[in-house]
């Protein structure tokens, strides 16, 4: 009996998604609750499991199609037996289908000179990010032991296997001179490639443009002496890591400093809702992190009530799950204030854009030694530029400058965060 696979409820206000990747192919055996397709929503990738055990008989939609919640996307023959591995095709049609699918997957990756090899054997179920890593590094997923939930592979498992494979490989013999390949013979060749925007990238573009058009955006800057924080990290890093199992990073300091400032300047933690202003007595911090499909902003709830260790653990968990494509809609919901750290990519200064409906965002940048005047003398200090972009419709310049100054002073004198100054 054929069972329909339908698009599940995707989250509050999310009514449709895009078919991003088929994790199983027609004829493959599937277990109950085993993911068979990855759907891209406005915020995260969602894996849709098979409702029953059996054989995936057909797709009812194509890769890249937009599907509504409740739509039928595939059919599963309940109780049937299918292929659990990847045997040789039994017909020309199957061979052509396999070749076409492989070509589509490889087109998404940069040209590596033909060194990558497709995985073989009884491949385990993998998330989109893990499948991309497997294809990119040319490793066999069946030979890798997964460290994720229920023994599933993670991106880190694949990268470790690729590194081990490279270290164990024998050095290649010196190549003998040969004519240059045809592709290199044409110098100055101009190419272009068209790639359809993912649903997440389309949403990012729409939201950021909407923020520019609707909000009265303005940015105020300050610089911050990082000496005290660096010294504190150096003094307590080993003890902190031993006790809490996580490194003491900069983000927890800035999160606590931001919470301190937002309590003193409530408008920076407020939002406009129609003709009303909503003030929050808690701080739900949105932390911008990189994911395979773009920038995502998971939310750390009630960060003003958390310890440094709890903040570091929460942010590290979000970063790991974002890279593995495992964030959920609930992780992205809400948020009253955002911190974006462009410094990890080398940014010296920027004007971050607010994350609507929030009214402000703090931009962090790289730390660099610069000459500054201290007590009438020029000294070299590790300095960072801070940028606070805000919606001038709700936040006055005095309030924005005051909030950023409180953050600066808390970082330069961390004791302020302990005694609530």
């Amino acid at each position: 009996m054929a069972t329909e696979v339908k698009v599940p409820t995707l989250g509050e206000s999310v009514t449709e998604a895009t078919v991003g990747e088929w994790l199983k192919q027609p004829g493959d055996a599937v277990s109950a609750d085993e993911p068979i397709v990855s759907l891209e929503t406005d915020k995260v990738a969602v894996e849709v499991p098979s409702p029953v055990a059996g054989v995936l008989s057909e797709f009812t939609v194509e890769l890249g199609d937009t599907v509504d919640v409740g739509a039928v996307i595939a059919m599963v023959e309940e109780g049937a037996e299918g292929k659990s591995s990847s045997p040789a095709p039994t017909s020309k049609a199957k061979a052509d289908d396999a070749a076409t699918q492989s070509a589509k997957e490889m087109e998404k990756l940069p040209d590596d000179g033909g060194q990558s090899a497709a995985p073989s054997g009884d491949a385990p179920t993998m998330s989109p990010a893990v499948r991309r890593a497997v294809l990119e590094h040319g490793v066999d997923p069946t030979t890798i032991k997964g460290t994720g939930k229920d023994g599933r592979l993670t991106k880190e498992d694949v990268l470790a296997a690729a590194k081990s494979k490279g270290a164990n490989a024998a050095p290649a013999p010196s190549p003998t001179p040969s004519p240059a390949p045809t592709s290199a013979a044409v110098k100055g060749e101009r190419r272009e490639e068209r790639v359809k925007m993912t649903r997440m990238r389309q949403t990012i573009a729409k939201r950021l443009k909407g923020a520019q058009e609707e909000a009265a955006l303005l940015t105020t800057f300050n610089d911050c002496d990082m000496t005290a924080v660096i010294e504190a990290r150096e003094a307590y890093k080993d003890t902190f890591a031993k006790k809490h199992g996580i490194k003491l990073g900069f983000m927890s300091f800035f999160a606590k400093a931001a919470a301190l400032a937002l309590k003193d300047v409530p408008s920076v933690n407020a939002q406009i809702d129609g003709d009303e202003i909503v003030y929050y007595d808690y701080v739900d911090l949105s932390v911008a992190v990189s994911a395979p499909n773009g920038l995502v902003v998971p939310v750390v709830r009630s960060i003003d009530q958390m310890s440094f260790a709890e903040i570091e653990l929460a942010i590290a968990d979000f970063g790991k799950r974002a890279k593995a494509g495992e964030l959920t809609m609930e992780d992205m919901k809400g948020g009253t204030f955002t911190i974006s750290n462009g410094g990890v990519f080398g940014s010296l200064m920027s004007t971050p854009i607010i994350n609507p409906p929030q009214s402000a965002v703090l931009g962090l940048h790289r730390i660099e030694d610069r000459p500054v005047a201290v007590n009438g003398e020029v000294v070299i200090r590790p300095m960072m530029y801070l940028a606070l972009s805000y919606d001038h419709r709700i936040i006055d310049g005095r309030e924005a400058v005051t909030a950023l100054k409180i953050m600066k002073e808390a970082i330069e004198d961390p004791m302020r965060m302990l005694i609530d100054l």
Side-chain angles (χ1 to χ4, degrees):
M1 182 179 71
T3 301
E4 297 177 338
V5 180
K6 297 182 179 181
V7 178
T9 301
L10 300 171
E12 183 180 358
S13 75
V14 181
T15 60
E16 61 181 19
T18 301
V19 180
E21 182 179 13
W22 292 107
L23 306 179
K24 293 288 185 177
Q25 295 299 314
D28 287 350
V30 294
S31 304
D33 297 325
E34 183 178 7
I36 61 175
V37 62
S38 175
L39 302 179
E40 293 180 354
T41 70
D42 293 348
K43 296 181 178 179
V44 295
V46 178
E47 293 183 349
V48 180
S50 172
V52 295
V55 173
L56 179 61
S57 58
E58 64 172 322
F59 302 145
T60 59
V61 293
E62 299 292 333
L63 200 67
D65 283 356
T66 297
V67 292
D68 297 324
V69 171
V72 178
I73 55 177
M75 303 294 291
V76 175
E77 289 291 339
E78 186 175 359
E81 295 184 359
K83 56 186 180 183
S84 58
S85 59
S86 301
T90 57
S91 67
K92 183 179 184 300
K94 289 185 178 179
D96 291 343
D97 288 343
T100 301
Q101 180 65 21
S102 177
K104 287 181 178 179
E105 292 179 346
M106 294 306 293
E107 284 174 359
K108 300 177 183 177
L109 304 175
D111 182 14
D112 62 359
Q115 297 301 314
S116 296
S120 60
D122 189 5
T125 301
M126 298 175 285
S127 70
V130 174
R131 290 176 68 87
R132 279 190 290 270
V134 167
L135 288 171
E136 182 176 354
H137 294 284
V139 296
D140 185 349
T142 62
T143 64
I144 306 173
K145 183 178 181 181
T147 60
K149 184 179 180 181
D150 298 325
R152 296 182 65 179
L153 291 182
T154 66
K155 187 175 180 181
E156 288 73 18
D157 296 333
V158 176
L159 295 178
K163 184 177 180 181
S164 175
K165 176 183 175 182
N168 296 332
S174 301
T176 56
S178 60
T182 305
S183 59
V186 183
K187 284 194 173 183
E189 183 179 0
R190 292 154 57 90
R191 298 182 181 182
E192 64 179 44
E193 180 183 6
R194 290 182 180 269
V195 179
K196 185 177 180 180
M197 292 176 68
T198 63
R199 176 170 290 274
M200 184 183 296
R201 176 52 60 184
Q202 293 178 44
T203 301
I204 291 172
K206 187 184 301 182
R207 285 174 59 84
L208 295 183
K209 186 59 179 175
Q212 287 184 319
E213 293 175 347
E214 183 176 354
L217 290 179
L218 194 63
T219 303
T220 183
F221 299 93
N222 215 321
D223 59 356
C224 181
D225 187 343
M226 298 293 292
T227 301
V229 167
I230 292 175
E231 290 178 348
R233 290 183 67 212
E234 186 64 29
Y236 299 110
K237 64 179 182 180
D238 294 336
T239 306
F240 188 91
K242 184 177 180 180
K243 180 175 181 179
H244 301 292
I246 188 73
K247 291 182 179 179
L248 178 59
F250 290 120
M251 282 299 294
S252 55
F253 284 94
F254 280 103
K256 297 294 284 186
L260 189 67
L262 299 182
K263 291 291 185 179
D264 285 351
V265 190
S267 61
V268 182
N269 194 44
Q271 298 178 7
I272 294 178
D273 184 9
D275 58 356
E276 297 178 330
I277 299 176
V278 182
Y279 293 93
Y280 301 95
D281 67 350
Y282 55 85
V283 179
D284 283 353
L285 183 67
S286 301
V287 182
V289 296
S290 294
N293 292 333
L295 193 71
V296 293
V297 193
V299 180
V300 183
R301 317 286 174 184
S302 299
I303 203 166
D304 51 312
Q305 303 296 321
M306 299 173 70
S307 67
F308 281 75
E310 289 171 333
I311 294 172
E312 292 291 353
L313 287 167
I315 293 175
D317 177 63
F318 278 140
K320 181 178 180 180
R321 289 197 286 139
K323 291 179 180 178
E326 297 174 351
L327 290 176
T328 66
M329 300 295 290
E330 188 63 28
D331 294 328
M332 320 288 286
K333 183 179 178 182
T336 63
F337 183 76
T338 295
I339 293 181
S340 178
N341 187 7
V344 296
F345 304 111
S347 172
L348 176 64
M349 185 180 292
S350 67
T351 55
I353 299 177
I354 64 173
N355 179 25
Q358 297 175 20
S359 298
V361 54
L362 175 66
L364 308 182
H365 303 92
R366 76 169 185 252
I367 302 171
E368 63 176 9
D369 290 339
R370 292 202 301 269
V372 295
V374 178
N375 298 325
E377 296 183 353
V378 177
V379 296
I380 303 298
R381 292 291 176 87
M383 304 296 293
M384 176 195 288
Y385 286 118
L386 305 179
L388 182 70
S389 291
Y390 59 98
D391 187 347
H392 214 335
R393 297 177 302 166
I394 181 175
I395 304 171
D396 294 331
R398 175 184 61 84
E399 295 172 318
V401 171
T402 300
L404 188 59
K405 185 171 179 287
I406 292 173
M407 297 180 204
K408 165 188 167 70
E409 291 173 345
I411 294 298
E412 293 184 338
D413 183 6
M415 184 62 70
R416 287 175 172 267
M417 291 182 273
L418 299 179
I419 59 178
D420 195 16
L421 289 179

